[in-house]
Amino acid sequence: MIKRWVIWGLFALLSVAVLISSLGTAFQTLPLNPDMAEMALIYQGVIHHGWRFPFTWRFTQDNQILSLLPFTLIYYALASVSGASIIIQGWLIFVVNALLAGLLVKTVTHSWRWAALSWLLSLLASPMAIGQPGILAYPVTHNSVWAFGLLGIIGLIRYLSDRPNWALPLILMCVAVGTISDPWFEAAFTVPVLLIAWKAPRWFQTDKTTRRTLVKSLIITYIAGRITYFGLELLHMVPGQGLGIASFPEMFQHIKLLAQGVGVLVQLYPLPKNNYIWSIWVIYFISLCSIIILALRQIEWVGFTMQRSSCVPNRS
């Protein structure tokens, strides 16, 4: 009992420390840019010009209507608009995503220890990864939507494993928000979920009824979201979407940017420039690969256990 309290106390202490550290990083990412302050400007517009103001605002492609606007209107009503509140807004989204990442790890591994480690590591990401391009700019656009993406992944895993009553509504809610609030959500979440649902009988040992229900519900929700987006477009509240398939050179460039981004996130990029740092880099790389292998083995073991338990007949 004492050991458990000591572990939880240490975890709470480390959590406070990394939260303070990440908040300090946020305040080092000045100056502000228009993307960071967009929701503050909309709030000021509503205060001075009324609730019709958002319908006169020309949102960008990542329009944030459902993913961020309802929450930031409440946030700025409580905190008021200032440089500090704008920075803390982005930091709070970063913290929420770190928390959801921990819950996602808990869903996969069924282990609060792995979840706690994920939470701490997310908050301790490289300052280059959570600096101005990450903690302030993108969280008030794409990363605010990806809070719903993480929620949707959690709901998907639970729906395919033990089907609680809340899992499917959670997935559909996330798809609806993402479809209306961010056009990239379709390629990053909705299409992969449809692919997983298609292969679910083989990958997750699910029955056809489960798969068909998920696929039909996703398609209906997506169509409803696209119709809603079209209505908002007619009201000039969202821009028209000119999305298409990228060319092969663009795909390779995006893959390169993805690799660099992941490398920055896990502090493997940029590459070192002297032999001493190279030796540390190699030790870190080997350690990181070992942790990933152990994590994958843990996930594989959990999946095997779940599959065996589903095959054991009920003796009651």
Side-chain angles (χ1 to χ4, degrees), residues 133-152:
I135 195 171
L136 290 177
Y138 291 122
V140 297
T141 54
H142 304 308
N143 279 3
S144 62
V145 181
W146 268 110
F148 292 91
L150 290 168
L151 278 173

Side-chain angles (χ1 to χ4, degrees), residues 22-234:
S22 61
L23 182 60
T25 301
F27 276 95
Q28 295 175 23
T29 56
L30 297 172
L32 298 175
N33 63 37
D35 182 55
M36 303 174 194
E38 181 180 17
M39 287 297 153
L41 294 174
I42 295 175
Y43 171 77
Q44 293 282 43
V46 171
I47 293 298
H48 293 289
H49 303 287
W51 290 101
R52 297 182 62 182
F53 179 79
F55 293 92
T56 67
W57 186 265
R58 299 307 298 267
F59 285 86
T60 58
Q61 284 283 359
D62 33 14
N63 54 74
Q64 316 158 60
I65 290 176
L66 291 182
S67 61
L68 191 55
L69 181 60
F71 305 101
T72 50
L73 290 178
I74 298 173
Y75 168 76
Y76 284 117
L78 297 174
S80 73
V81 176
S82 65
S85 65
I86 293 173
I87 293 174
I88 292 174
Q89 172 203 349
W91 175 75
L92 287 174
I93 299 169
F94 172 74
V95 172
V96 168
N97 282 342
L99 177 62
L100 291 175
L103 291 177
L104 176 57
V105 171
K106 168 62 172 62
T107 303
V108 174
T109 64
H110 299 275
S111 170
W112 282 112
R113 293 183 179 180
W114 283 100
L117 180 61
S118 174
W119 154 260
L120 295 174
L121 291 178
S122 298
L123 293 175
L124 285 174
S126 167
M128 293 180 64
I130 61 175
Q132 188 166 350
I135 195 171
L136 290 177
Y138 291 122
V140 297
T141 54
H142 304 308
N143 279 3
S144 62
V145 181
W146 268 110
F148 292 91
L150 290 168
L151 278 173
I153 295 172
I154 293 172
L156 178 66
I157 295 173
R158 289 298 305 275
Y159 179 78
L160 294 177
S161 57
D162 52 3
R163 295 190 66 181
N165 294 331
W166 52 264
L168 184 58
L170 178 64
I171 299 171
L172 300 181
M173 183 269 291
C174 293
V175 170
V177 171
T179 302
I180 297 172
S181 288
D182 196 320
W184 290 273
F185 199 85
E186 301 165 15
F189 183 82
T190 307
V191 172
V193 168
L194 283 170
L195 176 62
I196 291 173
W198 176 44
K199 291 293 186 178
R202 179 181 301 177
W203 293 348
F204 298 95
Q205 305 297 319
T206 57
D207 55 75
K208 292 183 178 180
T209 302
T210 300
R211 176 178 65 90
R212 290 174 180 173
T213 301
L214 178 59
V215 171
K216 291 178 180 179
S217 301
L218 284 171
I219 293 175
I220 293 172
T221 303
Y222 173 73
I223 293 174
R226 294 299 301 160
I227 294 173
T228 303
Y229 190 98
F230 179 71
L232 294 173
E233 185 179 343
L234 293 178

Side-chain angles (χ1 to χ4, degrees), residues 281-294:
W281 187 93
V282 170
I283 294 174
Y284 171 70
F285 177 76
I286 294 174
S287 302
L288 180 64
C289 290
S290 301
I291 293 173
I292 293 174
I293 292 173
L294 289 174

